[in-house]
Each structure stands twice: as structure tokens, then as C-alpha cells.
């Protein structure tokens, strides 16, 4: 059973996964595609995210992604992940700025 999601004021959920082709982090967009930039991710309410997650997870293999799950973000432009883990996934490794992912606004 999925854990209940508790969002703080000003937070939404986004769906994320990894692309099967190369392992890159991708974010689910409202048009049903997966994008490398969190700035294009669809912002979802908790109830909405549950239904979308169930549907998207069922289509993951067809869409070429694996490990689909939701994560909380601050509802800003672009969305900013709440946890350190997701910040690293969204913006790139902490090792060297050369490897960072540009955040598109």
C-alpha cells in the first residue's frame, strides 16, 4: 500500500523516473511525455498524483522509463525539490559544476 502523502503549504508533487536508455533522471509532463528538465514537470495535488502515478507506472516500460514515483516540490518556477536526494537528481551531481543539469525556467 502506498504511503499517505503529507504536503506542506506551497508544496505539490511531481512524478520522476529514470530513462531506460541511459539512466538519466526524467520528469513527467502534463502532455504525457518525460523530460530531462524539472522545470517542465507537471505539478500535481496529492489526490491527483495518486491516480496519475498508477496510470503512468503501468505505461512505464512502453514509455522507456523505470522506477516511477512521486516526490514533493515547492510550487515555484521551476519547481524546487524538497529533499536533498531529489535536488541532486534534478540539478546534477554535487561533484563538479561541469556536470550540473541546467534548470530551465
Amino acid at each position: 500500500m502506498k504511503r499517505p502523502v503529507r504536503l506542506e503549504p506551497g508544496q505539490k508533487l511531481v512524478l520522476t523516473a529514470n530513462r531506460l536508455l541511459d539512466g538519466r533522471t526524467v520528469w513527467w509532463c502534463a502532455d504525457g511525455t518525460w523530460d530531462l528538465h524539472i522545470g517542465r514537470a507537471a505539478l500535481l495535488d496529492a489526490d491527483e498524483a495518486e491516480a496519475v502515478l498508477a496510470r503512468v507506472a503501468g505505461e512505464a516500460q512502453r514509455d522507456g522509463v523505470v522506477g516511477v514515483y512521486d516526490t514533493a516540490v515547492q510550487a515555484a518556477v521551476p519547481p524546487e525539490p524538497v529533499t536533498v536526494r531529489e535536488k541532486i537528481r534534478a540539478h546534477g551531481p554535487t561533484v563538479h559544476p561541469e556536470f550540473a543539469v541546467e534548470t530551465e525556467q
Side-chain angles (χ1 to χ4, degrees):
M1 181 176 180
K2 187 177 180 309
R3 61 172 167 60
V5 176
R6 290 190 183 145
L7 296 175
E8 298 293 324
Q11 292 182 349
K12 295 282 187 173
L13 293 170
V14 295
L15 301 184
T16 185
N18 290 93
R19 206 165 45 186
L20 282 171
L21 182 63
D22 57 9
R24 297 278 310 263
T25 300
V26 289
W27 308 89
W28 187 78
C29 303
D31 66 1
T33 61
W34 293 93
D35 198 282
L36 293 170
H37 300 284
I38 192 171
R40 297 187 189 122
L43 298 176
L44 308 167
D45 294 320
D47 294 335
E48 183 182 19
E50 187 175 345
V52 173
L53 180 60
R55 180 174 47 87
V56 170
E59 301 168 352
Q61 186 174 5
R62 183 199 70 187
D63 292 341
V65 298
V66 66
V68 179
Y69 64 94
D70 58 9
T71 188
V73 295
Q74 290 297 330
V77 178
E80 183 59 31
V82 174
T83 65
V84 172
R85 178 183 192 274
E86 297 307 327
K87 287 179 184 183
I88 293 169
R89 290 182 78 243
H91 304 298
T94 59
V95 180
H96 191 280
E98 170 184 343
F99 302 109
V101 177
E102 288 186 30
T103 303
E104 196 165 296
Q105 296 191 30

